[in-house]
Structures are given as C-alpha cells and as structure tokens.
Amino acid sequence: MSFALRPTRSLYAHLTTSNFVQCRTIKKEHTLKSGGWERVIPAFRSVCGEDGVSLGEAVREQHGRDESVHRCRPPDVVVWPRSVEEVSALAKICHHHHLPIIPFGTGTGLEGGVGALKGGVCFSLRNMDRVLDLHQEDFDVSVEPGVTRKGLNSYLRDTGLWFPVDPGADASLCGMAATSASGTNAVRYGTMRENVLNLEVVLADGSIIHTTWLYTSLVTLPGLKQKTSAGYNLTNLFVGSEGTLGVITKTTLRLYGVPEAMVSAVCTFPSVQAAVDSTVQVLQTGVPIARIEFLDDVMIDACNRFNLLSYPVAPTLFLEFHGTEKSLEEQVTVTEEITQANGGSDFSWARDAETRGRLWKARHDAWYAALALRPGCKAYSTDVCVPLSRLPQIIVETKEDLMLNRLTGPIAGHVGDGNFHCIMVMDPNDQDEVIRVHEFTERLARRALALDGTCTGEHGVGLGKRALLREEMGPLAIEVMQGLKTTLDPKNLMNPGKVL
Amino acid sequence: MSFALRPTRSLYAHLTTSNFVQCRTIKKEHTLKSGGWERVIPAFRSVCGEDGVSLGEAVREQHGRDESVHRCRPPDVVVWPRSVEEVSALAKICHHHHLPIIPFGTGTGLEGGVGALKGGVCFSLRNMDRVLDLHQEDFDVSVEPGVTRKGLNSYLRDTGLWFPVDPGADASLCGMAATSASGTNAVRYGTMRENVLNLEVVLADGSIIHTTWLYTSLVTLPGLKQKTSAGYNLTNLFVGSEGTLGVITKTTLRLYGVPEAMVSAVCTFPSVQAAVDSTVQVLQTGVPIARIEFLDDVMIDACNRFNLLSYPVAPTLFLEFHGTEKSLEEQVTVTEEITQANGGSDFSWARDAETRGRLWKARHDAWYAALALRPGCKAYSTDVCVPLSRLPQIIVETKEDLMLNRLTGPIAGHVGDGNFHCIMVMDPNDQDEVIRVHEFTERLARRALALDGTCTGEHGVGLGKRALLREEMGPLAIEVMQGLKTTLDPKNLMNPGKVL
C-alpha cells in the first residue's frame, strides 16, 4: 500500500490557513452599488418589520459561518422572515436587484454552506418555528425551518411518535433536509432522503412550490402521500440541494412509533478489523439494529476525557436495539454471538433512558471531545462513505495513514452505513500540519472513490468538496446538475458558489 | 355525499371509443421527409446489425401498445441495441435527425407509455439482458433492461438474496425504475424509488451518464454507495420519468436476504370498512407486514372463477409475513387480534411455497380475472393513493359510486400503501358506459386529491393522467418539471407527449 503524494490541486483550498482567520474586517464592497442598499433595506423592512432586518456587524458575522473550519463570510444583511409569504416577498426583491440569497437554519453545518461568498442577503429562518399538521394516524408532521430536531421530538413527547434522524447537532429539520443529513439512526430509519415526504420551497424568483401536490382548495392541508408516481420527483431534487435551488420553508416528515423497548450497549474489540467485521456481519444477518457506531481507540480516549467516562481505550462499538421486548431478545442474542466470535468484550448495558442518554451524549460530543484533545486547535471532519464490504479495508488503511503522517484524527463512524468521520484536529498556525491534513483528506476521499464510495455521506458538498464532487460524478453528470441549477436559478442567486 | 357530474374535460380523452380501435392502417406520414428514412435506416443497421432493425408492420404494432386500453401508436421503426454504446450511437443518429426515441422494455405498462405519439424510433431493449456485478456482501446487483423481475430472482435463487418489488407483471427492472413501479411488497420493502441505487442513462444527445458516481479508472465497476449527500439526487429524478428524460440502460438495485420464514393468510370481513380498518390498525401497531392486499367481494368472486378457487365472496385481505420463526409468531398474533376485533374470519393459511404461490398468483391475475367477468370487454385500471387514515372513507365512497353508476369495477388494492385499483371493465362499443367510466375515474381521482392523495400511486402518468398531474401539482410545479425536461431534452425527443 502506498500513499504517494499526488499533485495538490485546489481541492482543499478551504484548508489553507487563510480559512482559519476569523473575519475581522467586514467586507466593504457590497453587491449593490453605492446607494442601492438605501432602496433595498426599506423594502426588506416593509416586508418583515424593523426588527426583521439587521446590518449589525456582529449579527452578520454570526450568520457567515457554520461549525466548520471554513472561514466566516458574512452576508451584507440578515433578514428574519416570519412566513412563507414574507420569504417569497423578500426573494422577489432580491431577484429584482440580483442579490444572492443564503438560507440559514441553525448554522450547525460542517461544509461552509452558509458563507456569503458573493455577499448578499442571509435569510435567517428561526422565526418560522411552527409545528403544523401533525397527523398521528398517518405518521406525518410538517415543520417550519425554525423547528429543530429536539424541538420536534419535545413536541411529540406525548403522542407515542418520534422523528429518529439524528445527526447529533440540534439542527433545523428543514436545514437537515437541505443537506440530506443522516446520523446515528440511519442504519435503521434511513436518512432525510427517505423521511422527507413533501417540501414547500421558495424559488429564486419568489414563487412558492410544493414538491408533491397541494390541492388548491385546501390550502391549510399539506400535500402528503404515502407513495406516488406522479411526475418527476421534485422532493428528492431539493433534498440535499444545500440551498442552491431554493429556500425550504416547510418540510413534511415521516414519523415513527416510539419503540416498545430500547436498549443500548458498548462492546470493545481487540482490533479495528474485529469491530468492523462484526458490524458487517450483524447487518448481513439482517438484525434490524437501530444504531451501530464505531469509535477508534483515540476517539474513545477523547470521549472518556471529555465526558469523564472510563470505557476501555480500544476499538469500540456503541449499539442500540429497538423493538418489542421479544424481538429485542432475539436481536441481542444474534449480535452477541457475532461480536463474541470476533473477540469482542461482554456487552456493557445501558437500559434506562438516562443511562442511554449519557452514552449517546458521549458519542454526539465526539467533535468537542476531539477538539479538547488539543486546546486552541481547529477541527475538520472527513465524511467518506463506502459499500459495507469495503469498510474494514478503508478504516484499517486510514488508521495507518494517520499514524504514518503524525496526524490527530480520531475516527467515529456510522459504520452501519459505511460512513465514517476522521475528526482532523490541527493547529491552524502550523503550515506543515495544515498541508499534511490537506493531503490526507484528499488521499482518503480518493481511497473511498476507488472503493466505489463517495466523498460525502452526510455533510454535503458545500464549499469544501466541490472539486471532489466533480471528480466523483464525472463531467457529464456535473453538466446535468449545472443544467438543473440554471433552469431553477438562472441568475445564480441561490446560495451561489456552493455544491457546483 | 354527492357525485354531481363535473364538466367533462379532455382529461379522459384516452378513454373515448377511438382509443379502443386497434390500429389497422399504419401511419403513413413519417417523421422524416420522404427519402429521409433511406439514409437513417442504414445508419441504424450499421450500429446494431441487419437483425437489429425492423420496419415490419406486425413488429411495429407490437411495440406501439402496452397492456392498457390506450390505442396502439406504432413507431416508424424498431431497433434492438445490444449495448449501452449502441444505444448511445442510435440516440446520436436520432438526435441529429430530430427523431423521437421511445424506450421499450416488456410492454407491460398500464398508462400507454410506449405509444409513439409522434412516430419515431422504438428502442426495444430486450437484447440487453445481462445481470452484472452481483455484490452479495453489499446486497446489490446491476441489471440491463432486458432482465425482468422474475429473471433476476431466478438468477439469485442460490444466493440467499432476492429482489422483492413485485408489480405482478414480469416487467423489465429498468422499466420498473422508469415507471417508479411498486406492487404488493411495497408496504415492507418500499417502491422502486427506495430500491434503485444507481442508474446508467443515455440522454437525448446520446451522452451516457451515471446518476451516482462511476470512478473513471474502474469502468467495470458500477458506481454504488450506501448513502450519499454528494450533489443533486439524479437517481430519483430519472426514477419515474417514464422515458421522457433519457433511456435507462442499467440499474443497480438493492437486494434483501430471503427471510428465514414466510407465511401467507387469507381473512374475510363482514364489511369493506372492517377490512380497511384492520389494515390501518395493523400498520399503526408497527407490525412489519410484508404484504397486505385488499380484494372486494366483486374481485374475490372474479378470482374464484378465474382461478377455480372457493374463497368466501366477501371483502378480503391477503396477508404475508416475513421474518424469523420467532418474529413471525409475534406478527401473526398481533395481526389476528386486530382482525378478530374487527369481525374478521379465522385465518386460512398458506405455509409452503406452492400454496403461497397459488394464493399470490390469484392476486396477481386480478386483471385477467376482472376481464373474464365480461368477455369481449376492455379494462382500465384506476390507481389513486391516499394517506392511510383516509382509506376507509374513499373505498366506501368509491364502492357506492360504482353501484350508483352501474359500473363493473372490482377493487384490488395495496391497502398498506393507501393505494388501490378499480379495474374498470367496459364494453368499448357502449358509448354510454364509456362515458360513465370517464366520469367515474375523474370523480375518483378528484376524491383522492381532496383527501390529500394522488391520481397515481404506481402506474405512472403516461398518456392517461397528464391533465390530472397538472391539476394535482399546480401550474408552478409543472413549470419546474417542464423546465427540467427542457434542460435534459431540449428537442423534446425523449418519449414525447408523455407525463407533461
């Protein structure tokens, strides 16, 4: 196996030191010519009120970055619409004046998707926070962009229903739709692609569409159906489009019954290979496992330190089973047989909600735990995903690559989906380290592509993976994507510079 | 409840008597001007051989119709490419000469999708019949368009894997992808949308794309991944596009482990409401039922006659359970409790493969059984789909409507998906009956729309539902769909006149 250095292209330009510099001086040169804003700002205010528009420096900076390493690119102005009609009216103004529109949910993205590369108007959607049209008997609900994952599940608490997709962060559900997010439960419940039933979208020209139907005479009812073969699938065109095709102002989600029983467990392994082989075998046996998360020794050590835990420092699986009491027994028995055959430890159980909560909090804090390994450093998360059978090989090779290149990159992965993250912790002022991280992430992505994988399983393309997307899809498919973008957004106003 | 006649628009023009007239005189006026074909036909022959091109009248007629009531619209010529390269070369010729391209799989569609409305070239894909790249450990396989559902499952027989999506007909799997087909197993395994992982598509200009990635240096490996958020979701744009955006030349499918145990059962009910209520309750309880099919009294009577069976003539559910022996016990117990509480009969069991096969053959023969009720008549199947909670209401209303209007329309439905079919059997020469069928199908579709449903759950839009699609989606969403079509097929050569 060789890790020959390939010519460094502009793929990882986002990782150059300049990206780590927080913006201190605000962009002076606005998209509008001098005086233009004087006409536009009052128009915005007439739509969403005095309080609904801000030019403040701190506010703009806050809306110019997500949780990633990508540097802050503040918009020229932030607006807070309160309804789809206001989003539409604002979009029409932007369309008329050729102003970029950047949708903003909770800013918890990891690929720089909210940066205002060309200036423009940030649409902060947090004031649209209604849960609408809960249909318990049909297992669906609609939410506005201000509703987060945890918010929805609190709302559902007494209904016996829940929404399982869980990327860790308490993200906006519409934002999760825009990024095609997934997380720890995807192995059982699917990603946003499988769980978004309908979207309301404001297009670049301000027009409002529903991606499945909305019967004109029943405006209060969302257009929802169990299945359809009616025309082109617009829903899945907008899921994962990262704000580049329109602003998602409402999403209808599939809900699930809260399982009768849930139990979590932790199991440690003598090697990475043993842990990953166990995962593959559990899934191939058809166990409908709800969560199966891999943490390597470095990651578990970081989690122990950050959350004051004492798991053995070894390759580890965090598992969770959902079902009836009876089916849980069966699932656990089969899984234990497999892990033990691979040299895994006895399961350490987390049965009650509180203990389970502590366990999963540790997993979801992985990002912060990794950062805490080297105070003052920044983190960048890789996000490759490969077919299940290729997973042992790529994880083993990646661990070797990290060691060879003296990099801190604890691994946490949704291994049930073939998706794993190296959380690259680096000193932004150490130019040599930054370059080694570049080269590592590029090698990792190409290693995934060579194994029939993808450069991004769930974080999206955003800023950071545009060149890799091109490499992954080939020029013709990219041309098709560009054609779709141009059709829906001919002026290139919707979150310009992202994805393509 | 009223069934006031609405003004009959052109929605159901496909049901006028002219549609039942089999084409006897072949279209004389070709798309090409006189002499044009003399240059084009040799070009086609140079691509796919002498045997790969036919102008024969019988051959063209055979390729101008599917299994529906839509009248035969033969193409000008039929070609049989043997590879994606040949499809691409033929498409380039068509593109140059502005000739429509109509992809043809097995001709088992139900909405007239293969009719050559504007003449042109039928691409019969049955000679591309390879099963490629079976990855047992990753549960996926790729197939060319000549591979049918049953053909693939025969191929997989000894692998312990199967492909469950089952529309009844032994359709081409690529054709099923093009129509977004589903069928009796969708309640457990999803439709084609959930089970197509990657597509190879020849676009109108002859270029070949893969909807997920294909690593350029590994041309023999299909681009497959478990999940991705890399760019726009092209796969689901082509799934259900009915040949209007490109020719699907390969599809990568998700496979499933053959369940350890399967058992089928039949249960009769005192009323439609009781049968449908049971379905809704079984699903709401979370039983992972594999099939739950409703047949009304008229349908079961027809099935009894056609298949020499003796089920009680009453509203009936055909059920199937998949799982481990243990989980089957649990599923059956819960389901029996529910059906009995709704006044259902004891289950009549089908345990061995042969008995189960007979049961499901009866269900899948419903179309022919319905036709046999009135020899010499033609059939048209409605295809509405509504949210589960609305299902009892719409089925009860629809039964009343059928009776009030003296129509033969046995009902068979994938009720677990909210999808059901009235198989309208009518005498094409009885103008009055044909008009009553028009009006009925229109009322039914609008009834579904008013209940948050769709006019087509699985048969597609094709010819028959273009106006309803417009009504269902609204003008703006249709405009978006039209924009996508124009982007991918600016000359409108791909199966023109369908869907939009």
Side-chain angles (χ1 to χ4, degrees):
Chain A
M1 189 174 52
S2 96
F3 291 114
L5 290 187
R6 296 168 190 254
T8 303
R9 296 200 257 152
S10 61
L11 297 189
Y12 287 81
H14 64 287
L15 284 176
T16 57
T17 45
S18 68
N19 280 286
F20 302 116
V21 180
Q22 296 303 312
C23 49
R24 292 220 175 70
T25 57
I26 296 297
K27 208 164 149 287
K28 291 296 179 211
E29 189 197 339
H30 285 154
T31 318
L32 285 180
K33 289 201 185 97
S34 170
W37 288 107
E38 282 156 31
R39 284 197 309 278
V40 170
I41 299 296
F44 288 163
R45 289 203 169 117
S46 76
V47 171
C48 49
E50 284 295 323
D51 296 346
V53 182
S54 175
L55 293 157
E57 182 173 326
V59 168
R60 294 192 287 123
E61 279 198 47
Q62 188 192 340
H63 287 83
R65 72 167 83 92
D66 58 14
E67 292 193 358
S68 72
V69 76
H70 296 288
R71 81 180 165 94
C72 178
R73 304 291 293 259
D76 295 308
V77 53
V78 181
V79 293
W80 286 268
R82 294 159 294 193
S83 65
V84 62
E85 291 77 18
E86 289 189 4
V87 174
S88 168
L90 293 167
K92 282 176 184 159
I93 299 168
C94 292
H95 192 251
H96 180 75
H97 292 278
H98 282 72
L99 293 172
I101 295 171
I102 304 104
F104 190 100
T106 48
T108 45
L110 294 173
E111 274 301 347
V114 299
L117 302 192
K118 301 182 175 194
V121 185
C122 171
F123 283 43
S124 174
L125 301 160
R126 70 162 192 229
N127 289 348
M128 293 173 66
D129 60 356
R130 290 179 304 165
V131 177
L132 301 160
D133 305 312
L134 170 62
H135 297 127
Q136 293 194 44
E137 66 284 21
D138 292 316
F139 287 42
D140 68 74
V141 70
S142 299
V143 293
E144 291 185 331
V147 179
T148 65
R149 180 179 68 75
K150 288 185 184 169
L152 175 62
N153 280 324
S154 293
Y155 182 92
L156 294 172
R157 191 170 292 144
D158 300 323
T159 62
L161 299 173
W162 72 313
F163 183 69
V165 181
D166 178 0
D170 188 22
S172 152
L173 290 155
C174 290
M176 285 166 60
T179 338
S180 188
S182 42
T184 51
N185 278 310
V187 63
R188 165 87 174 241
Y189 299 96
T191 73
M192 290 305 278
R193 285 209 197 282
E194 288 82 33
N195 289 292
V196 172
L197 300 170
N198 191 7
L199 294 171
E200 178 185 77
V201 182
V202 175
L203 301 179
D205 64 359
S207 56
I208 303 168
I209 67 163
H210 295 84
T211 55
T212 58
W213 83 283
L214 182 78
Y215 198 54
T216 44
S217 65
L218 292 167
V219 180
T220 54
L221 287 173
L224 164 71
K225 65 196 62 97
Q226 305 294 331
K227 70 177 189 184
T228 175
S229 55
Y232 306 148
N233 187 338
L234 299 183
T235 304
N236 267 322
L237 183 61
F238 286 96
V239 171
S241 64
E242 305 184 34
T244 62
L245 300 180
V247 183
I248 296 175
T249 50
K250 189 162 72 180
T251 174
T252 304
L253 299 165
R254 189 188 300 281
L255 300 175
Y256 294 80
V258 174
E260 184 186 309
M262 297 193 200
V263 64
S264 302
V266 176
C267 182
T268 55
F269 290 84
S271 68
V272 171
Q273 181 90 38
V276 181
D277 283 351
S278 298
T279 306
V280 175
Q281 289 160 24
V282 166
L283 290 166
Q284 284 174 348
T285 313
V287 175
I289 201 159
R291 286 171 157 153
I292 187 160
E293 293 285 310
F294 171 75
L295 298 90
D296 76 351
D297 52 340
V298 187
M299 189 77 254
I300 202 84
D301 188 34
C303 287
N304 278 343
R305 288 162 195 249
F306 190 74
N307 292 286
L308 305 176
L309 298 167
S310 53
Y311 293 117
V313 176
T316 301
L317 289 178
F318 283 13
L319 308 150
E320 190 162 272
F321 304 90
H322 294 174
T324 58
E325 292 288 358
K326 247 192 204 168
S327 86
L328 239 57
E329 265 179 49
E330 206 181 355
Q331 291 182 45
V332 166
T333 308
V334 174
T335 306
E336 275 184 319
E337 273 167 23
I338 291 171
T339 54
Q340 282 174 11
N342 283 293
S345 69
D346 286 343
F347 283 6
S348 148
W349 295 102
R351 295 184 191 274
D352 61 291
E354 198 191 324
T355 319
R356 279 193 293 110
R358 242 191 338 264
L359 190 160
W360 291 106
K361 183 173 181 305
R363 166 62 189 88
H364 286 138
D365 283 345
W367 175 265
Y368 305 104
L371 270 172
L373 285 175
R374 294 176 62 188
C377 284
K378 294 272 174 191
Y380 174 77
S381 175
T382 67
D383 182 35
V384 301
C385 186
V386 295
L388 215 50
S389 65
R390 313 297 181 97
L391 198 58
Q393 179 189 346
I394 193 170
I395 293 194
V396 169
E397 286 180 13
T398 301
K399 288 279 289 177
E400 288 174 23
D401 190 352
L402 285 166
M403 288 203 301
L404 264 173
N405 290 283
R406 296 166 288 118
L407 293 168
T408 310
I411 295 179
H414 317 305
V415 281
D417 310 325
N419 186 205
F420 69 94
H421 311 297
C422 300
I423 306 177
M424 305 306 300
V425 185
M426 59 191 151
D427 176 357
N429 299 315
D430 180 343
Q431 194 55 245
D432 177 64
E433 187 180 35
V434 168
I435 289 171
R436 279 182 290 124
V437 169
H438 290 190
E439 291 169 351
F440 167 81
T441 54
E442 189 167 88
R443 276 195 305 277
L444 174 55
R446 295 225 171 92
R447 199 178 294 136
L449 297 191
L451 294 174
D452 283 348
T454 173
C455 67
T456 176
E458 58 180 13
H459 294 170
V461 175
L463 272 180
K465 303 203 196 85
R466 288 170 298 171
L468 274 176
L469 178 70
R470 194 164 280 274
E471 199 169 319
E472 176 170 328
M473 295 297 304
L476 280 170
I478 293 288
E479 208 178 286
V480 169
M481 289 185 188
Q482 186 62 60
L484 301 177
K485 162 79 174 168
T486 306
T487 303
L488 286 165
D489 178 21
K491 295 182 176 181
N492 191 24
L493 299 179
M494 297 305 314
N495 206 6
K498 311 298 165 58
V499 182
L500 295 170
Chain B
M1 191 175 49
S2 96
F3 292 113
L5 293 187
R6 295 168 192 258
T8 305
R9 294 198 259 153
S10 61
L11 297 191
Y12 287 81
H14 65 287
L15 284 176
T16 58
T17 46
S18 68
N19 279 287
F20 301 116
V21 181
Q22 294 304 313
C23 47
R24 290 216 178 73
T25 55
I26 296 295
K27 209 163 149 288
K28 293 294 179 213
E29 190 198 337
H30 285 154
T31 318
L32 286 180
K33 288 201 186 100
S34 170
W37 287 108
E38 283 158 31
R39 284 198 306 280
V40 170
I41 299 296
F44 287 163
R45 289 202 169 115
S46 77
V47 171
C48 49
E50 283 295 323
D51 296 345
V53 182
S54 175
L55 293 156
E57 182 173 325
V59 168
R60 294 193 287 123
E61 279 198 49
Q62 191 192 337
H63 287 82
R65 72 167 83 90
D66 57 14
E67 293 194 356
S68 73
V69 74
H70 296 288
R71 81 182 168 91
C72 178
R73 304 293 292 262
D76 295 309
V77 55
V78 181
V79 294
W80 285 267
R82 294 159 296 193
S83 66
V84 62
E85 290 76 18
E86 290 189 5
V87 173
S88 168
L90 293 167
K92 281 176 184 159
I93 299 169
C94 292
H95 192 250
H96 180 74
H97 292 279
H98 282 71
L99 294 171
I101 295 172
I102 304 104
F104 190 100
T106 49
T108 44
L110 293 173
E111 275 301 347
V114 298
L117 302 191
K118 302 183 174 192
V121 185
C122 172
F123 283 41
S124 175
L125 301 161
R126 70 162 188 228
N127 290 349
M128 293 174 65
D129 59 356
R130 292 179 303 167
V131 177
L132 301 160
D133 304 312
L134 170 61
H135 298 127
Q136 293 194 44
E137 67 284 22
D138 291 317
F139 288 42
D140 68 76
V141 70
S142 299
V143 294
E144 290 185 331
V147 179
T148 66
R149 179 179 69 75
K150 288 184 184 170
L152 175 62
N153 280 324
S154 293
Y155 182 93
L156 294 172
R157 193 171 290 145
D158 300 324
T159 62
L161 299 173
W162 72 313
F163 183 69
V165 181
D166 179 0
D170 188 21
S172 150
L173 290 156
C174 290
M176 285 167 60
T179 339
S180 187
S182 43
T184 50
N185 278 311
V187 63
R188 166 86 172 241
Y189 299 97
T191 72
M192 290 304 277
R193 285 208 197 283
E194 288 83 33
N195 289 292
V196 171
L197 300 171
N198 191 7
L199 294 170
E200 179 185 75
V201 182
V202 174
L203 300 180
D205 64 359
S207 57
I208 304 168
I209 66 162
H210 295 84
T211 56
T212 57
W213 83 283
L214 182 79
Y215 198 53
T216 43
S217 65
L218 292 167
V219 180
T220 55
L221 287 173
L224 165 71
K225 64 195 63 95
Q226 305 294 333
K227 70 176 192 186
T228 175
S229 55
Y232 306 149
N233 186 337
L234 299 182
T235 305
N236 267 322
L237 184 61
F238 286 96
V239 170
S241 65
E242 304 184 34
T244 62
L245 301 179
V247 183
I248 296 174
T249 49
K250 188 163 74 180
T251 173
T252 305
L253 298 166
R254 188 188 301 279
L255 300 175
Y256 295 80
V258 174
E260 181 185 312
M262 297 194 201
V263 63
S264 302
V266 176
C267 181
T268 56
F269 290 85
S271 67
V272 170
Q273 182 89 39
V276 181
D277 283 351
S278 298
T279 306
V280 174
Q281 290 160 23
V282 166
L283 290 166
Q284 284 175 348
T285 312
V287 176
I289 200 158
R291 286 169 155 153
I292 187 161
E293 292 286 309
F294 171 75
L295 298 91
D296 76 350
D297 52 340
V298 186
M299 189 77 254
I300 202 84
D301 188 33
C303 288
N304 278 343
R305 288 163 196 248
F306 190 75
N307 292 287
L308 306 176
L309 298 166
S310 55
Y311 292 118
V313 176
T316 301
L317 289 179
F318 283 12
L319 307 151
E320 190 162 273
F321 304 90
H322 295 177
T324 59
E325 292 288 359
K326 243 191 204 170
S327 87
L328 240 56
E329 265 178 50
E330 204 180 358
Q331 290 184 43
V332 167
T333 308
V334 173
T335 306
E336 275 185 317
E337 273 169 21
I338 291 171
T339 54
Q340 283 175 9
N342 283 293
S345 68
D346 285 343
F347 282 6
S348 150
W349 295 102
R351 293 184 192 274
D352 60 292
E354 198 191 322
T355 320
R356 278 193 292 112
R358 243 191 338 266
L359 191 160
W360 291 107
K361 183 172 182 307
R363 165 64 189 88
H364 285 140
D365 283 346
W367 175 265
Y368 305 103
L371 271 172
L373 286 175
R374 294 176 62 189
C377 283
K378 293 273 175 192
Y380 175 78
S381 175
T382 68
D383 182 34
V384 301
C385 186
V386 295
L388 216 51
S389 65
R390 312 297 180 96
L391 197 60
Q393 179 189 348
I394 194 169
I395 293 195
V396 168
E397 287 180 11
T398 300
K399 288 280 288 176
E400 288 175 23
D401 190 353
L402 286 165
M403 288 206 297
L404 265 173
N405 290 283
R406 296 167 289 117
L407 293 168
T408 310
I411 295 178
H414 316 305
V415 281
D417 311 325
N419 187 206
F420 68 95
H421 311 298
C422 300
I423 306 177
M424 305 306 300
V425 185
M426 59 190 150
D427 175 358
N429 300 314
D430 180 343
Q431 194 55 245
D432 177 64
E433 187 181 34
V434 168
I435 289 170
R436 279 181 291 125
V437 169
H438 291 188
E439 290 170 351
F440 167 80
T441 54
E442 188 167 90
R443 276 195 305 277
L444 174 54
R446 295 227 171 92
R447 200 178 293 135
L449 297 192
L451 294 173
D452 283 348
T454 172
C455 67
T456 178
E458 59 181 10
H459 294 171
V461 174
L463 272 178
K465 304 203 196 87
R466 288 171 297 172
L468 274 176
L469 177 70
R470 192 164 281 275
E471 202 169 315
E472 177 171 327
M473 295 299 303
L476 280 171
I478 293 289
E479 209 177 286
V480 170
M481 290 185 188
Q482 187 61 62
L484 301 178
K485 162 79 174 166
T486 307
T487 303
L488 286 165
D489 178 22
K491 294 183 176 180
N492 191 25
L493 299 179
M494 296 306 314
N495 206 4
K498 311 297 165 56
V499 182
L500 295 170

